[in-house]
Amino acid sequence: SAGTSLIHRRIVVDKTTARNERKWDVYLSSEGNFVSKKRWSLAEKRFLAVLMPLGVDGVGHALGTIGKGVDRIVHHAAEMGLDKQGVIFEMGEQLVAKETAHEVFMKDKEFHTNFCRCQGQAQALADNFNRRVRGGPNLQINFLSCCVYTVKDDRWPR
């Protein structure tokens, strides 16, 4: 089966990594490295382009790994802004960046599509649950919104 032939990428997990760690990969549209942000639409069954908020020039993720699952490696992430002095700063909500833990899926767009589709379906089920239960905040289920950020990184093969 395909599961037995998967090659895990070598990843070191650092549970103590602070949110404000200094080593980040940052991709800015003003430097030609940030390409797009897309969100899966359950209704249209495809990715839709998402406009970046005012002042956001790209996205970045911490190099330190904060978690690892069977299929994903997790990093702190944020949308990034660039001020008039050229200083890069985090904007908006805290994000997590997830990447595949298997080399074979590094360029597999279908793998990422399935992940976002499942995340959207899980939120739709959670919304139905929340409507029926009508409980307080302790009885609510929510999932993170899944977006795909496309960036250019010359360190990775195309």
Side-chain angles (χ1 to χ4, degrees), residues 17-146:
T17 300
R19 173 88 183 129
N20 63 355
E21 76 171 273
R22 301 234 182 267
K23 295 181 181 176
W24 283 57
D25 277 342
V26 176
Y27 306 94
L28 301 174
S29 59
S30 60
E31 295 177 358
N33 297 321
F34 177 76
V35 178
S36 67
K37 175 182 177 181
K38 297 178 183 175
R39 180 173 284 124
W40 182 259
S41 167
L42 276 179
E44 296 193 34
K45 295 184 168 89
R46 65 185 180 102
F47 282 104
L48 300 176
V50 176
L51 293 175
M52 297 297 274
L54 185 64
V56 171
D57 191 43
V59 67
H61 68 84
L63 296 180
T65 302
I66 58 169
K68 182 180 178 208
V70 173
D71 291 324
R72 298 282 176 182
I73 301 159
V74 185
H75 308 271
H76 286 297
E79 291 181 343
M80 304 299 231
L82 186 64
D83 71 14
K84 292 178 183 178
Q85 288 77 37
V87 175
I88 299 168
F89 59 94
E90 296 179 41
M91 294 186 68
E93 299 177 30
Q94 291 186 17
L95 306 174
V96 293
K98 295 183 179 183
E99 60 180 321
T100 178
H102 305 285
E103 290 181 16
V104 69
F105 297 127
M106 288 294 288
K107 295 182 186 178
D108 186 349
K109 291 181 182 178
E110 191 64 29
F111 179 78
H112 303 292
T113 299
N114 287 337
F115 178 79
C116 285
R117 182 183 46 76
C118 289
Q119 193 87 353
Q121 288 174 332
Q123 184 59 55
L125 291 170
D127 291 342
N128 286 336
F129 173 85
N130 294 340
R131 266 193 302 281
R132 287 184 177 194
V133 171
R134 295 184 193 160
N138 293 336
L139 290 175
Q140 298 291 301
I141 298 173
N142 289 293
F143 290 84
L144 295 173
S145 175
C146 185

